[in-house]
Amino acid sequence: MNNEVGGRHNKNGRRQGRNDGRGNGRVLESLALVMQFGIHMVVPIFMCLFLGIWIDRKAGTSYWVIILFFMGALAGFTNIYKLAMKLGGRNVSGRGKEADRNGDRSQDKGQDGM
C-alpha cells in the first residue's frame, strides 16, 4: 500500500490514475481546451451585444448594437489569438518560451556594446 500524498505511483515514479492506458485524460483535456476557446469567443460578443441593446433602448438609437457587436467579435478573436499563441509555445510578442526563460539576452547584447 502506498501512503504518499497525491495517490499511487508506478515503478517509474509516475502518478497512476483511473485514466491510465485508456486515453480518457487526453479526451478530457481536448474537451476542456475546446470549451475554453468557445468561452473566450462567446463571452465578449454577448457582453457587448447586450450592452449595445441596453444603450440603444436608453438612447432611442439603433446602431450601437451593431457597433458593439463587432467590437465584441474583435475582442473575442483577439482572445482566441492570444490563447492559441500561448498554447503554441509563444507569447503575444512572438518570442518563444525558451527566449522568455532566458530573458532574451540576445537583444541586450547589441545595446551593451554602445
Side-chain angles (χ1 to χ4, degrees), residues 11-91:
K11 63 183 178 181
N12 296 329
R14 294 185 178 164
R15 187 171 182 273
Q16 291 179 333
R18 286 189 279 170
N19 294 330
D20 282 355
R22 288 190 248 159
N24 290 339
R26 297 285 297 162
V27 171
L28 292 177
E29 272 183 32
S30 299
L31 181 62
L33 184 62
V34 168
M35 289 178 64
Q36 191 174 11
F37 271 99
I39 289 171
H40 276 84
M41 185 68 197
V42 170
V43 169
I45 291 174
F46 278 114
M47 286 177 56
C48 288
L49 184 68
F50 291 131
L51 181 65
I53 291 170
W54 181 78
I55 291 173
D56 279 341
R57 286 185 181 165
K58 292 289 184 184
T61 59
S62 61
Y63 57 87
W64 283 108
V65 67
I66 297 168
I67 294 169
L68 289 176
F69 173 80
F70 284 114
M71 287 178 64
L74 182 64
F77 283 123
T78 303
N79 287 342
I80 294 297
Y81 175 76
K82 288 179 182 178
L83 183 62
M85 289 295 111
K86 181 179 173 184
L87 292 172
R90 294 176 169 237
N91 61 16

